[in-house]
Amino acid sequence: MTATIETPPVATQAAKQCRRPSETRVPGQQRAVVVLLAPFAALCLGVFVVPAAYAIYLSVFSQLHSGLGFGNGRTVFVGLHNFVVVLTDPSFLRSIGVTLAYIVLFIPILVVGSLAFALLLDSGLARARQFAQTALFLPHAVPGIIAAIIWLYLYTPGISPVLALLYDLNIQVDLLGQTLLIPSMVNIALWGGLGYNTVIFYTALQAVPREVMEAAAVDGAGAVRTALRVKVPMVRASVVTVGMFTLVGTLQLFTEPMLLAQSTPLIGNRFTPNMYIFDAAFNRSNYGLASAASVLLLVLCCLLSYAVARYSSRGARA
């Protein structure tokens, strides 16, 4: 028989009161919003909209060379041909599958782990909170490429002291093998992302009104029930934001597999969509094909982000 956990009534009422947005409008508020958003709009236009539009333009052109490929190239309009080539390329479809498998493993561990650490720091059980925050955030200060090189050293058989110690204990683990390759990449990404997101969640938890927790305590809610039924719902927006940003970042997976490819033949030049785009542009000099793959990756990012936003908003209304 499954026990049903009910939210304490006083805590729920206090939480709802705290969620109500202020409807008071300040004169000149809209003008201030426009002024404050103008730098972001200009930056977004310059580094996102214009490059995306140029990629869409390049994606419908291709370079043709005469004289068995040794003649001068000429740019010709090919319509959607590049998109058809990308979508029918098994290596591109395989890279999408690898990335989705990485996302399914990485995002739940990152979000749940970060939220658990933040709730622990916010609870009265934590000691030396500032030291704990610094210790958790410190790996994020290490540049991602440096962290990947360190983990590459620890993963590579023959030079890794960790693998040598496990071998002495008669434990043989191939961290770059078929089974553990994606978990090994997830481990590298968790190293830098876990503490960073913990700080974000902990900051959001600090904004939760203390009277809500006091009301929950008056209703007899314990620490675990208060955390799961009061605190977590009130930081739902932060959880969704972190999940969405992490999703967009993981779709652009590049650094970790590119470095690990030095030690394992399982990672080819087109292991992830970003590596496929890099290979098409700089190894094959096919900018039309690279642009088409970039546009498809952008569409996939937008669709998954929209799905996450819709699902989260539906869950908030439920």
Side-chain angles (χ1 to χ4, degrees):
M1 181 176 180
T2 304
T4 301
I5 301 176
E6 297 182 354
T7 306
V10 178
T12 304
Q13 185 177 2
K16 290 180 178 178
Q17 290 176 351
C18 293
R19 288 179 192 147
R20 292 173 183 170
S22 174
E23 298 180 354
T24 304
R25 293 188 177 182
V26 180
Q29 186 176 17
Q30 292 185 349
R31 184 181 303 174
V33 170
V34 171
V35 171
L36 292 173
L37 288 180
F40 168 76
L43 192 63
C44 181
L45 183 67
V47 302
F48 177 73
V49 177
V50 172
Y54 187 59
I56 294 173
Y57 169 77
L58 287 180
S59 65
V60 295
F61 290 92
S62 184
Q63 284 278 332
L64 292 182
H65 295 268
S66 59
L68 299 178
F70 295 101
N72 294 327
R74 57 188 178 88
T75 303
V76 295
F77 178 77
V78 295
L80 300 178
H81 175 72
N82 288 326
F83 292 95
V84 175
V85 172
V86 173
L87 290 175
T88 55
D89 188 343
S91 61
F92 181 77
L93 299 179
R94 189 164 49 250
S95 69
I96 294 291
V98 169
T99 304
L100 292 179
Y102 178 86
I103 289 174
V104 169
L105 185 61
F106 174 61
I107 292 183
I109 296 177
L110 178 73
V111 174
V112 175
S114 301
L115 190 56
F117 277 125
L119 289 170
L120 183 61
L121 291 174
D122 187 64
S123 69
L125 301 175
R127 298 289 186 270
R129 296 179 185 176
Q130 292 185 350
F131 173 77
Q133 289 181 61
T134 304
L136 285 170
F137 186 78
L138 193 59
H140 182 72
V142 179
I145 190 169
I146 301 299
I149 291 175
I150 294 173
W151 284 107
L152 175 62
Y153 165 70
L154 296 176
Y155 286 166
T156 303
I159 62 174
S160 170
V162 177
L163 294 180
L165 177 62
L166 293 176
Y167 182 79
D168 292 338
L169 297 175
N170 292 326
I171 301 176
Q172 296 185 1
V173 179
D174 186 4
L175 296 174
L176 299 177
Q178 184 75 40
T179 305
L180 296 178
L181 182 57
I182 291 181
S184 297
M185 290 192 297
V186 168
N187 178 58
I188 297 174
L190 285 175
W191 170 255
L194 199 63
Y196 177 78
N197 291 296
T198 298
V199 173
I200 293 177
F201 288 145
Y202 178 70
T203 304
L205 288 171
Q206 291 298 296
V208 175
R210 295 296 104 178
E211 56 266 25
V212 176
M213 267 77 80
E214 294 172 0
V218 170
D219 287 335
V224 176
R225 181 179 295 183
T226 301
L228 298 180
R229 303 304 300 270
V230 179
K231 293 182 180 179
V232 172
M234 296 194 74
V235 298
R236 183 188 185 90
S238 298
V239 174
V240 173
T241 302
V242 167
M244 190 176 298
F245 285 172
T246 306
L247 175 63
V248 173
T250 51
L251 285 173
Q252 303 172 46
L253 183 65
F254 182 80
T255 303
E256 291 85 356
M258 181 64 80
L259 287 176
L260 293 181
Q262 309 300 320
S263 295
T264 174
L266 296 177
I267 300 179
N269 293 333
R270 307 171 192 174
F271 188 69
T272 66
N274 255 10
M275 293 177 68
Y276 181 94
I277 295 168
F278 183 88
D279 178 68
F282 300 106
N283 293 337
R284 292 182 280 169
S285 300
N286 193 336
Y287 299 108
L289 194 67
S291 299
S294 301
V295 172
L296 291 174
L297 183 59
L298 174 63
V299 171
L300 181 61
C301 285
C302 294
L303 290 176
L304 290 179
S305 300
Y306 177 75
V308 172
R310 288 283 298 177
Y311 177 78
S312 61
S313 61
R314 183 178 301 175
R317 290 195 298 267

